Amino acid sequence: MAHIPGQPVTAVVQRIEIHKLRHGENLILGFSIGGGIDQDPGQNPYTEDKTDKGIYVTRVTEGGPAEVAGLLVGDKIMQVNGWDMTMVTHDQARKRLTKKNEDIVRLLVTRKSLQDVVRQSMLQ
Amino acid sequence: MDDYDVRSAASILASVKEQEARFERLTRALEEERRNVSLQLERANQPSDRLSLCNTTGSQPLAWQQIVMQEQSPSNQTSIAMMQEPQELVEETVTIEEDPGTPTSHVSVVTSEDGTTRRTETKDVPTNMKVTKVVKTITRRTYVPVTVSETLLESKPTTPTPDPDPVTKMVKTVTTRTVRQIPIGPDGLPVPEGSSPLGSYTDSMDRRFMKNGDRYITPQASSTLNRSYNSYNDSYIDSPDAQFRPYPIHDGFTDMSDHYGSLSRGVNYRPRYAYVPANNYRPENSYTLPIRKDDYAHMAQPQLPIGSNVELNRSQPERFQPEPYGLEDDRRSLGPDEEEAYGLEPDYSTANRRTPGGGVDRGRPSRDRSRRRGGYDDPIEAELIEERHPYLHSVYTAPLAQPERGSMASLDRMGRRSPSVDSIRKDPRWRDPDLPEVIAMLGHPIDPVKSNAAAYLQHLCYENDKIKKDVRHLKGIPILVGLLDHPKSEVHRKACGALRNISYGKDNDNKVAIKNCDGIPALIRLLRKTNDMEVRELITGTLWNLSSFEPLKMVIINHGLQTLTNEVIIPHSGWEHEPNEDSKPRDAEWTTVFKNTSGCLRNVSSDGAEARRRLRECDGLVDALLHALQSAVGKKEMDNKSVENCVCIMRNLSYHVHKEVPGAERFQEPSANQNSGTGGTQKKKKDDAGCFGGKKAKEEWFNQGRKNGEIDKNYDTLDLPKRTEPTKGFELLYQPEVVRLYLSLLTESQNYNTLEAAAGALQNLSAGQWIWSTYIRATVRKEKGLPVLVELLRSDSDKVVRAVAIALRNLSIDRRNKDLIGSYAMRDLVSNLPSGQQRPAKNLEEDTVVAILNTIHEIVTDSSENARSLIQAQAVEKLVAINKTSQSSRETKAASHVLQTVWSYKELRNTLHKEGWNKSHFQPLAAAVPKGSKGGKPGYDDSTLPLMERNQDAYSTIDHRNKECKYKNEDGRGDLTEREPLKSDTSRKNYIRNNRPSVNLVEACDTKPQPVDSWV
């Protein structure tokens, strides 16, 4: 899932559309993210590549909008509404996700199991 | 075949005719019955697919004429669930279910002179509607490493708890014969689901049936038949081929799904689809078993000369065919015709002879014969019934079956373990599908094939680690996980069953594989969706298995904690969020689902501070667990596994409450104005806190123990904080009220694990220096808990003794407790010590001995009175012996500390000298442990005891912290080595832990920059 800067990225992605839940003033997505280019990638438990500074899903609220949409802990977020998320700071990612004027976010995520399945099917 | 010769053609023909006539009558009755059945089916809240199928058929009554039976699945599900009742020690259970409302068919087989075997199935629906299923539940004692001890203050090696986590195999036998109309796909390709899944099989069947030649008017008609149904044909002759388009789906389909469970049954654990000729599976060539192709080619030729050989050939493929299609799973695939064919086969011989192919009855009238035939499957069941559930036998209607007992039974048992045996036995030319084939079948477009393959996998994996590994390597696990989301209950149930077996065992890679393909969220999703008890048991059982592996614990918490709590724990505990005042509180139900779920939570609750926090803050969890335990105490049901699990969770959640719960700092005791017990940091002050002098001890003890004195009412000087609103959530963990609960458990339970956990809970709660632990320590005394605990020092269980010893140590932080314990527990403590190299009868483990020594040390510290009791208990001799001769450095060290402390009381030296001891006995032997070192460590851990050994036995803190560090740093793969639940590890582990500077580790952990984690 890691990539070399300047090189095109190939990844198997899944589209996930999350309908935010309105809770008073707040719009809730129901997951949390970790990572970003300003974070220590060595502490990311979700990837074997300890240089991957991508944005990862770290927690998903049970029954929350993200879970309903199929987001899983450990998913790497590649894009949010078309915006690249592989080279952003943690805060930029957070802001992209939490825009007040957007009720729906569309994510492109990739996850290990997805990659594995595809690899497997290609081998067959 | 031997029978064949004996047979008289005429009598056979006659009997055939009779059968046919009879059958026709019955068919009519059946048609009516069928309507009933489909009505029932609808009522029974069937899976929607099935329902719609029923409806379909309803509109085409014609098709149903021959359809005799149908297994009803709804009841099947529930009853199976019941059967799986955890029989922890029972190795094998066979349960039989009766499914009223489904007709039983009687099958008779007749072999005519041309060598064709016919089988007639008679259904006496009206009178005898009965489907008997034999369900075997084999609950194995399994061994799930449950690491529960983490929260214990003691560093109990995580010893494997043999948990009877059920790896269950279910064997279902259905007596019914299903005759069904199978729609033929135009080209023999599988017709899309819902239209006619069976299509693909048809043509092969047809061919086979063709052999019977005359019997089959058209091949298509025969497609209805499964298996050995060639013999059925006669009855079908009149129903022309044409019709069969219409009928099919319905019953073929229904049956299929129902019977899918049958795969696992008895001898025939081999997947039936294995025997389907290749061409049926065109879409998936992988299913093709080449060997069979040949056979088929051969067989396919119509009008083969009939003879025993032919018979043989023919019956084989047929025999196996039914199963994949959900046809009746005949468990032995012992078709009557086969019997002929295989009469000589050793395994079947008994059965075969008993059911002479149609004709040759051993002198029975044909009618009788037909009955017998009908029961032909029954024999086995009857036998099973008789053997294992004699009481059910009477219910069972097929007395005819009885003779068949014996060889089948043994067969059954044999076969279960090694499917290959079966195939060899049956015919060397047939083989079971190999693992890749089975796994490929999981992806087959036809649902019953999927579920059958999954069921077969479950069977194969049972107690076979190699197969589990192979399944993993062959990428079978992601497919199974994928099937969890399958809408058909039969499919997701079997998949779940397979996953449960795969997830069981020491091979953690299997568990990781399930996790890696998102199996945990899938299981949780299914749990939310399904109301099927059996499926729920399988899900929670799988989760329990998964939860035994450290790195998966947090994953389970993240995905499933609230769901498990809401779906299982709360409803089964009887606790209600807002209790209805009118209704009386409900009791807990100790269901398997509850047991599995609590076991799972028990495992995950040992995963460190974050896990504990999540569990404590999980809405309703603590409340429900407490309610369940109170209900257990109330009903005196304190020995079961669920209670054990609940207590263990409570204990684990009680660990470090004084540091970890939100707002804990508000309750920290200002160390100066303690009333009785002060922390180790305040060691010196303890002496001054002597408002409860040692002299009062005895009197005090009597007050506690004998009469419920007035002073008991007012908690001495303690004022419990007044609460305005009822406590809820995690606060319940440390309210003094829980003391009574734990003490009840300690008094009444016979389950060592429960005792250990309850003592551990008290130990955890009485540790620390916040106001609540002070209350707890006092409450234990007030509730007369000290004598209860002291009594348990005599327990035969090592870990109980250990937990109690450490609890006493923490309780003795309270000065008055210390005096009481010193006076009255000393003898019991000392008697647990080994005398020299000679261990006492109990032969306690090193950890326990060290724990006791540390407790003694704590008790004699700052109390010369207690030190005197120690001397009077003849402890010095033992201590000196341990100090000198023990093989364990930890024991030596702990004994040495006690001796030094004793020697430090100058007023006692005189006594000691008189008994012949001198200073050298009390000096540390080797590298002297300077006395100052004792006080050197701040007593920050759970106890306030400044012992070096603290980390070894009393506090697993380090362990936790360390692990948490790892969690944060690495990818969730915690310390496998440390947690490896092997007893042999114990000493090493402790040693390591011992040498590990706890405080540093903790700090190191905390100083690491935490990854930012933003909720969005």
Side-chain angles (χ1 to χ4, degrees):
Chain A
M1 273 185 237
H3 66 97
I4 303 154
Q7 297 295 312
V9 184
T10 314
V12 186
V13 293
Q14 179 175 346
R15 281 171 204 286
I16 288 184
E17 185 174 292
I18 305 177
H19 297 255
K20 296 183 186 176
L21 195 69
R22 189 168 286 282
H23 195 261
E25 281 291 283
N26 305 315
L27 286 170
I28 296 171
L29 280 163
F31 69 99
S32 72
I33 53 166
I37 53 174
D38 56 339
Q39 301 289 313
D40 173 13
Q43 294 190 48
N44 181 349
Y46 301 108
T47 171
E48 278 141 27
D49 172 16
K50 293 303 173 196
T51 61
D52 183 351
K53 297 186 176 185
I55 302 292
Y56 279 79
V57 177
T58 54
R59 287 176 285 174
V60 175
T61 311
E62 275 181 55
E67 197 199 31
V68 169
L71 196 67
L72 295 172
V73 170
D75 286 354
K76 178 178 180 178
I77 302 180
M78 308 296 283
Q79 291 186 3
V80 173
N81 292 338
W83 296 92
D84 173 67
M85 285 292 124
T86 60
M87 292 295 267
V88 292
T89 64
H90 185 84
D91 220 40
Q92 284 168 333
R94 187 179 55 74
K95 283 179 178 153
R96 266 306 156 212
L97 286 162
T98 57
K99 292 222 175 290
K100 290 276 184 208
N101 55 356
E102 294 170 349
D103 282 339
I104 295 175
V105 292
R106 293 183 181 84
L107 307 181
L108 282 190
V109 303
T110 183
R111 68 179 63 125
K112 196 167 171 304
S113 56
L114 216 57
Q115 307 267 29
D116 291 345
V117 168
V118 172
R119 193 175 314 125
Q120 198 187 322
S121 66
M122 280 159 66
L123 287 177
Q124 278 171 358
Chain B
M1 293 309 114
D2 38 358
D3 289 338
Y4 175 68
D5 301 326
V6 190
R7 232 165 262 154
S8 119
S11 74
I12 292 169
L13 280 176
S15 77
V16 167
K17 287 210 174 107
E18 188 190 338
Q19 306 271 342
E20 284 175 6
R22 185 178 149 86
F23 187 79
E24 201 144 358
R25 282 197 306 276
L26 287 167
T27 324
R28 254 168 254 130
L30 256 184
E31 172 55 20
E32 215 170 291
E33 179 53 26
R34 184 195 59 79
R35 288 199 192 98
N36 285 341
V37 170
S38 55
L39 265 179
Q40 282 173 7
L41 280 174
E42 283 175 32
R43 258 183 265 120
N45 192 13
Q46 292 243 322
S48 56
D49 52 324
R50 207 165 291 160
L51 256 185
S52 58
L53 288 171
C54 289
N55 294 337
T56 320
T57 356
S59 63
Q60 291 148 355
L62 236 199
W64 262 100
Q65 295 232 330
Q66 286 92 6
I67 294 157
V68 181
M69 65 231 99
Q70 195 172 356
E71 188 187 348
Q72 293 204 297
S73 66
S75 57
N76 158 17
Q77 297 168 4
T78 44
S79 47
I80 286 171
M82 283 174 352
M83 266 150 238
Q84 274 188 323
E85 224 359 58
Q87 318 235 349
E88 301 195 358
L89 296 173
V90 177
E91 302 251 283
E92 202 170 293
T93 331
V94 179
T95 323
I96 290 155
E97 294 169 341
E98 267 213 289
D99 210 355
T102 338
T104 312
S105 56
H106 289 179
V107 181
S108 68
V109 174
V110 181
T111 310
S112 55
E113 64 256 303
D114 58 356
T116 322
T117 308
R118 319 171 155 198
R119 174 152 146 183
T120 314
E121 188 166 297
T122 38
K123 282 80 195 197
D124 35 4
V125 176
T127 52
N128 219 359
M129 306 186 329
K130 203 161 285 188
V131 171
T132 314
K133 284 178 246 166
V134 177
V135 177
K136 275 194 227 165
T137 313
I138 303 163
T139 314
R140 293 264 183 100
R141 256 188 98 71
T142 54
Y143 186 79
V144 176
V146 181
T147 49
V148 272
S149 54
E150 204 164 344
T151 8
L152 262 187
L153 287 185
E154 47 173 321
S155 66
K156 177 182 129 192
T158 49
T159 49
T161 314
D163 264 340
D165 189 10
V167 170
T168 315
K169 245 198 242 183
M170 289 191 346
V171 183
K172 189 171 52 160
T173 308
V174 185
T175 331
T176 47
R177 294 274 132 212
T178 313
V179 179
R180 55 188 72 114
Q181 320 287 327
I182 299 163
I184 299 183
D187 44 0
L189 282 176
V191 184
E193 204 178 287
S195 63
S196 90
L198 295 179
S200 53
Y201 309 106
T202 22
D203 65 356
S204 64
M205 285 180 176
D206 297 343
R207 268 192 268 126
R208 230 163 300 125
F209 294 118
M210 289 286 280
K211 278 174 280 155
N212 280 343
D214 44 345
R215 303 285 160 209
Y216 291 84
I217 292 189
T218 56
Q220 288 180 335
S222 58
S223 64
T224 9
L225 305 182
N226 23 348
R227 221 225 311 206
S228 35
Y229 295 96
N230 33 351
S231 46
Y232 284 14
N233 296 328
D234 15 16
S235 34
Y236 297 132
I237 297 174
D238 41 15
S239 81
D241 39 9
Q243 297 32 334
F244 101 163
R245 265 286 161 156
Y247 341 127
I249 308 166
H250 161 140
D251 80 327
F253 216 47
T254 324
D255 279 330
M256 276 199 282
S257 37
D258 287 341
H259 297 312
Y260 265 51
S262 49
L263 222 203
S264 46
R265 208 200 332 160
V267 176
N268 260 356
Y269 268 148
R270 65 193 91 149
R272 284 70 203 234
Y273 16 75
Y275 303 95
V276 176
N279 53 347
N280 293 334
Y281 282 95
R282 250 170 253 158
E284 312 246 359
N285 283 332
S286 47
Y287 299 145
T288 317
L289 303 182
I291 302 174
R292 249 156 260 146
K293 266 189 198 161
D294 303 340
D295 288 333
Y296 272 87
H298 170 60
M299 284 180 287
Q301 302 170 12
Q303 311 286 355
L304 270 184
I306 325 143
S308 54
N309 289 337
V310 178
E311 208 48 47
L312 239 180
N313 289 338
R314 183 172 24 95
S315 57
Q316 282 161 1
E318 279 162 9
R319 139 155 67 126
F320 297 112
Q321 256 196 334
E323 319 196 74
Y325 313 120
L327 293 192
E328 203 38 86
D329 92 11
D330 75 293
R331 43 191 128 146
R332 300 299 95 105
S333 22
L334 227 206
D337 41 349
E338 290 168 3
E339 288 166 5
E340 319 283 67
Y342 293 100
L344 297 178
E345 280 185 335
D347 294 311
Y348 284 116
S349 53
T350 324
N352 296 342
R353 299 211 187 91
R354 298 308 179 130
T355 19
V360 192
D361 45 285
R362 330 231 114 137
R364 289 173 189 244
S366 62
R367 184 156 179 264
D368 203 23
R369 234 182 290 134
S370 77
R371 274 192 71 80
R372 241 163 131 348
R373 259 357 178 131
Y376 109 88
D377 237 358
D378 302 353
I380 298 140
E381 279 164 39
E383 169 266 316
L384 289 173
I385 294 162
E386 271 230 325
E387 284 219 343
R388 288 154 208 170
H389 282 255
Y391 54 93
L392 277 176
H393 190 254
S394 55
V395 191
Y396 191 73
T397 49
L400 2 135
Q402 286 165 3
E404 250 95 287
R405 223 174 310 135
S407 71
M408 291 310 284
S410 51
L411 232 191
D412 183 27
R413 261 169 238 126
M414 272 168 34
R416 187 185 304 135
R417 288 298 159 83
S418 54
S420 57
V421 171
D422 303 346
S423 54
I424 294 162
R425 174 184 62 239
K426 293 228 166 148
D427 186 326
R429 283 170 303 175
W430 298 103
R431 63 186 182 89
D432 293 329
D434 56 27
L435 206 51
E437 286 162 342
V438 177
I439 288 169
M441 284 170 198
L442 290 173
H444 194 272
I446 294 170
D447 293 337
V449 178
K450 287 181 188 143
S451 71
N452 219 351
Y456 185 51
L457 262 187
Q458 173 178 10
H459 158 69
L460 289 178
C461 290
Y462 181 53
E463 286 209 338
N464 190 332
D465 289 341
K466 164 111 177 25
I467 300 243
K468 291 178 195 174
K469 198 167 132 212
D470 292 346
V471 171
R472 185 179 82 235
H473 288 316
L474 293 166
K475 311 283 185 204
I477 291 176
I479 308 173
L480 285 169
V481 166
L483 291 180
L484 291 177
D485 286 322
H486 197 281
K488 288 231 170 63
S489 70
E490 202 55 32
V491 177
H492 63 235
R493 178 196 327 200
K494 300 301 181 208
C496 200
L499 285 172
R500 176 159 82 170
N501 281 4
I502 289 170
S503 65
Y504 170 77
K506 286 187 186 152
D507 190 349
N508 289 326
D509 290 343
N510 294 329
K511 301 180 178 121
V512 171
I514 292 176
K515 184 216 109 176
N516 282 347
C517 56
D518 303 321
I520 293 173
L523 286 164
I524 297 292
R525 265 198 308 278
L526 183 55
L527 179 68
R528 275 200 290 260
K529 264 191 311 212
T530 185
N531 286 318
D532 181 336
M533 259 323 199
E534 187 204 339
V535 176
R536 290 179 152 230
E537 284 174 12
L538 290 169
I539 295 168
T540 52
T542 310
L543 287 170
W544 191 1
N545 287 342
L546 293 175
S547 70
S548 66
F549 185 47
E550 295 297 327
L552 303 189
K553 292 181 176 179
M554 217 51 208
V555 184
I556 292 173
I557 291 175
N558 284 333
H559 288 289
L561 174 59
Q562 196 66 55
T563 303
L564 289 170
T565 305
N566 291 344
E567 294 284 334
V568 181
I569 297 289
I570 292 178
H572 292 255
S573 72
W575 178 76
E576 283 157 39
H577 255 287
E578 274 149 27
N580 185 351
E581 285 176 11
D582 304 332
S583 62
K584 66 171 192 162
R586 293 190 299 132
D587 280 323
E589 304 154 15
W590 311 118
T591 56
T592 305
V593 176
F594 185 77
K595 183 186 74 182
N596 291 350
T597 309
S598 57
C600 174
L601 294 181
R602 167 180 172 179
N603 281 350
V604 302
S605 69
S606 70
D607 197 44
E610 174 64 10
R612 289 193 294 273
R613 185 185 67 77
R614 299 285 297 276
L615 262 70
R616 285 185 197 123
E617 293 173 8
C618 176
D619 197 24
L621 177 60
V622 175
D623 313 62
L625 291 174
L626 210 56
H627 183 92
L629 286 177
Q630 264 148 0
S631 144
V633 168
K635 289 198 294 179
K636 304 257 184 233
E637 294 171 340
M638 287 176 269
D639 298 330
N640 65 47
K641 188 79 188 170
S642 298
V643 170
E644 177 188 320
N645 289 338
C646 291
V647 187
C648 285
I649 301 170
M650 291 293 285
R651 172 195 58 192
N652 287 355
L653 298 186
S654 301
Y655 179 73
H656 273 184
V657 272
H658 61 286
K659 292 179 185 170
E660 293 175 357
V661 303
E665 55 293 338
R666 283 185 287 125
F667 296 105
Q668 296 304 319
E669 292 249 30
S671 40
N673 60 5
Q674 299 279 357
N675 48 45
S676 43
T678 318
T681 41
Q682 309 298 324
K683 239 182 125 221
K684 287 296 161 201
K685 288 191 181 149
K686 278 197 199 162
D687 280 337
D688 309 331
C691 43
F692 313 104
K695 285 162 223 151
K696 282 177 71 181
K698 188 163 190 174
E699 189 187 327
E700 213 41 70
W701 182 271
F702 279 103
N703 280 341
Q704 311 312 333
R706 299 286 154 81
K707 55 174 187 176
N708 197 2
E710 295 87 322
I711 28 165
D712 293 348
K713 298 272 160 63
N714 53 23
Y715 283 88
D716 295 350
T717 55
L718 281 181
D719 288 321
L720 289 172
K722 301 283 180 287
R723 283 191 299 266
T724 48
E725 49 192 56
T727 333
K728 62 180 173 58
F730 62 80
E731 292 177 347
L732 291 167
L733 287 170
Y734 46 83
Q735 297 305 311
E737 286 84 342
V738 297
V739 169
R740 182 168 294 178
L741 173 66
Y742 293 130
L743 290 177
S744 303
L745 291 166
L746 287 170
T747 314
E748 305 272 347
S749 181
Q750 305 295 316
N751 178 332
Y752 286 144
N753 293 326
T754 303
L755 290 174
E756 182 204 4
L762 286 179
Q763 164 195 334
N764 284 340
L765 293 173
S766 57
Q769 298 179 53
W770 69 337
I771 190 82
W772 294 106
S773 62
T774 311
Y775 295 148
I776 295 284
R777 290 189 284 263
T779 309
V780 172
R781 183 173 68 247
K782 293 299 162 195
E783 296 283 348
K784 297 170 229 137
L786 293 176
V788 173
L789 288 166
V790 172
E791 177 76 26
L792 285 171
L793 284 175
R794 296 169 202 156
S795 166
D796 292 327
S797 163
D798 194 86
K799 27 184 205 173
V800 173
V801 172
R802 194 185 317 156
V804 166
I806 302 168
L808 286 173
R809 173 174 166 191
N810 285 346
L811 288 167
S812 67
I813 295 170
D814 180 299
R815 182 69 202 192
R816 188 186 289 185
N817 284 348
K818 177 186 274 193
D819 293 335
L820 291 166
I821 293 166
S823 308
Y824 297 97
M826 198 60 92
R827 278 181 194 281
D828 285 311
L829 285 169
V830 171
S831 70
N832 277 312
L833 292 176
S835 35
Q837 283 173 317
Q838 185 192 355
R839 296 258 157 182
K842 274 198 222 169
N843 197 12
L844 298 174
E845 282 175 21
E846 180 194 40
D847 281 330
T848 311
V849 173
V850 174
I852 291 167
L853 288 169
N854 288 341
T855 303
I856 292 175
H857 181 266
E858 171 62 18
I859 295 168
V860 299
T861 301
D862 300 325
S863 169
S864 63
E865 204 57 35
N866 286 347
R868 194 179 296 280
S869 312
L870 183 71
I871 295 168
Q872 283 161 5
Q874 313 295 318
V876 176
E877 188 182 346
K878 283 184 170 184
L879 290 167
V880 169
I882 294 170
N883 193 21
K884 280 206 178 118
T885 63
S886 171
Q887 303 295 311
S888 151
S889 61
R890 295 170 55 228
E891 287 181 14
T892 308
K893 204 185 279 178
S896 164
H897 283 305
V898 178
L899 288 171
Q900 289 172 59
T901 309
V902 171
W903 189 250
S904 69
Y905 296 108
K906 297 205 173 63
E907 64 270 32
L908 298 178
R909 289 191 188 159
N910 212 6
T911 322
L912 291 171
H913 282 306
K914 273 186 206 155
E915 292 186 17
W917 307 105
N918 62 48
K919 189 178 177 186
S920 66
H921 292 114
F922 296 87
Q923 292 303 314
L925 285 180
V929 184
K931 220 186 165 212
S933 72
K934 286 198 299 173
K937 283 202 183 170
Y940 277 138
D941 255 318
D942 267 2
S943 89
T944 43
L945 308 177
L947 282 179
M948 291 187 64
E949 290 76 11
R950 180 181 57 216
N951 296 331
Q952 298 171 353
D953 34 75
Y955 313 98
S956 54
T957 332
I958 312 163
D959 215 10
H960 291 294
R961 302 300 178 93
N962 192 27
K963 182 152 61 68
E964 283 163 41
C965 283
K966 285 190 182 166
Y967 257 96
K968 280 163 192 151
N969 299 335
E970 297 167 5
D971 55 345
R973 270 153 229 267
D975 36 1
L976 286 181
T977 45
E978 285 213 358
R979 318 235 116 233
E980 193 60 32
L982 293 175
K983 280 218 173 189
S984 54
D985 269 2
T986 308
S987 54
R988 186 183 55 83
K989 201 195 311 174
N990 286 318
Y991 182 68
I992 293 169
R993 203 181 287 156
N994 194 13
N995 291 338
R996 202 179 278 148
S998 62
V999 178
N1000 288 346
L1001 268 177
V1002 172
E1003 281 168 359
C1005 181
D1006 291 340
T1007 52
K1008 284 246 162 74
Q1010 297 297 308
V1012 182
D1013 199 30
S1014 334
W1015 277 107
V1016 289

